[in-house]
């Protein structure tokens, strides 16, 4: 089992503290849901963990390897991959080239294997290898964005609002893949605006409001009584 340990993380953006002294742990094989209102700091947290935004303070360790302050490539190579908000694929490149671009730096044999793995997870993408990513549907592009993260064979995936703007059937498909990944041993931080989806899949949930966690623990009480969830959204 691997552990991603985040301690006392603080992030400042535009002169404002957007994540304030947050601590949590992810474990491989588990889905941790992260929900909360707009502007709570969820995406900022993901970007900072991925090395794209600077940290003001705090430590991030994956099995004892310090990741805080490291370059995004280092963080990725050490087992942490993010799927940022808004499926950012290279629209003019083919599906296959998008996956290969994401695997840049991997030894050739490993890259071939990883790309083949992604195609077995998403036959939808295998059927469209040569198609320009920008010509695919939003759902297919989101599969590709997740596929790009998977090429690195991460121990941990941070998935930010994958379901945004997608039809319920596609959301279901993506969430099934997330469940399968966790069952096969990946650790997942699942950020979702569909709180029912996140609470159903999450083994644990953090509710984030204004840069801090107002609730951390068992999703069940929040599923059973929406007024409790509402209360933590406001606190
Ligand atoms: N590029 C930026 N520069 C400065 N401040 C930003 C920037 N992007 C976001 N913020 C601020 O950071 C805070 C946290 O935003 P963030 O996008 O992390 O929240 P979120 O929880 O992901 O929200 P949402 O549910 O809308 O995606 C907000 O106050 C937001 O205004
Ligand atoms: Mg966000």
């Amino acid at each position: 089992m691997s552990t991603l340990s985040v301690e006392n993380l603080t992030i400042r953006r535009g002169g404002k503290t957007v994540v304030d002294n947050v601590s949590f742990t992810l474990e491989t094989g588990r889905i941790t849901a992260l929900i909360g209102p707009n502007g709570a700091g969820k995406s900022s947290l993901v970007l900072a963990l991925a090395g794209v935004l600077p940290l003001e303070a705090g430590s991030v360790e994956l099995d004892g390897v310090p990741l805080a302050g490291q370059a995004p490539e280092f963080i990725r190579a050490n087992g942490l991959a993010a799927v940022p908000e808004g499926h950012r694929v290279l629209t003019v490149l083919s599906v296959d080239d998008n996956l290969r671009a994401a695997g840049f730096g991997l030894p050739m044999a490993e890259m071939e294997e990883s790309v083949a793995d992604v195609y077995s997870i998403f036959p939808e993408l295998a059927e469209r290898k040569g198609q320009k990513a920008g010509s695919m549907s939003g759902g297919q592009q989101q599969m590709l964005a997740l596929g790009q993260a998977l090429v690195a064979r991460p121990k941990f995936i941070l998935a930010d609002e994958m379901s945004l703007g997608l039809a319920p059937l596609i959301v279901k498909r993506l969430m099934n893949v997330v469940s399968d990944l966790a069952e096969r041993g990946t650790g997942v931080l699942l950020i979702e605006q569909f709180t029912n989806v996140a609470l159903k899949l999450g083994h644990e949930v953090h509710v984030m409001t204004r840069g801090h966690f107002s609730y951390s623990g068992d999703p069940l009480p929040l599923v059973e009584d929406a007024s409790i969830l509402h209360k933590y959204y406001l606190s």
Side-chain angles (χ1 to χ4, degrees):
M1 189 195 76
S2 289
T3 306
L4 180 78
S5 165
V6 177
E7 278 177 33
N8 305 115
L9 193 74
T10 296
I11 304 165
R12 286 177 65 80
R13 280 182 109 171
K16 206 172 85 176
T17 299
V18 296
V19 172
D20 191 7
N21 204 26
V22 160
S23 302
F24 64 96
T25 304
L26 303 183
E27 281 172 7
T28 44
R30 280 170 67 87
I31 299 176
T32 302
L34 177 61
I35 58 176
N38 292 338
K42 306 179 297 295
S43 296
S44 301
L45 179 66
V46 166
L47 294 174
L49 293 177
V52 183
L53 271 185
L55 307 181
E56 180 75 10
S59 78
V60 181
E61 288 188 357
L62 201 164
D63 291 339
V65 177
L67 300 183
Q70 297 289 349
E73 299 74 25
F74 178 90
I75 292 172
R76 222 171 122 84
N78 277 276
L80 180 64
V83 187
E85 218 172 5
H87 52 79
R88 288 177 209 165
V89 297
L90 302 165
T91 52
V92 296
L93 292 188
S94 69
V95 167
D96 205 56
D97 286 347
N98 265 279
L99 292 177
R100 281 162 199 282
F104 182 77
L106 289 178
M108 195 47 100
E110 211 175 301
M111 154 107 83
E112 295 298 336
E113 237 179 87
S114 288
V115 170
D117 278 353
V118 172
Y119 286 139
S120 72
I121 294 170
F122 290 117
E124 297 94 330
L125 297 179
E127 287 162 15
R128 293 176 175 81
K129 276 182 199 183
Q131 195 173 326
K132 272 198 181 127
S135 71
M136 298 197 299
S137 71
Q140 290 157 353
Q141 289 189 37
Q142 188 64 76
M143 288 175 197
L144 182 56
L146 177 54
Q148 285 182 309
L150 294 177
V151 168
R153 298 197 164 161
K155 292 183 181 135
F156 294 95
I157 287 253
L158 315 174
D160 193 0
E161 308 266 16
M162 288 199 305
S163 66
L164 203 68
L166 301 180
L169 211 60
I170 309 282
V171 175
K172 201 160 174 231
R173 169 87 181 98
L174 285 166
M175 293 306 138
N176 280 338
V177 169
V178 168
S179 290
D180 288 348
L181 287 171
E183 262 165 42
R184 286 164 44 187
T186 309
V188 181
L189 183 70
L190 184 68
I191 300 177
E192 268 306 319
Q193 95 276 22
F194 292 129
T195 53
N196 56 333
V197 171
L199 293 171
K200 194 174 114 201
L201 284 186
H203 299 103
E204 189 187 4
V205 62
H206 301 287
V207 180
M208 193 175 204
T209 52
R210 288 173 287 112
H212 70 276
F213 291 165
S214 55
Y215 178 91
S216 292
D218 190 349
L220 200 61
L222 310 187
V223 177
E224 285 177 341
D225 185 349
S227 73
I228 297 181
L229 177 62
H230 189 65
K231 183 185 94 189
Y232 286 114
Y233 260 62
L234 298 177
S235 60

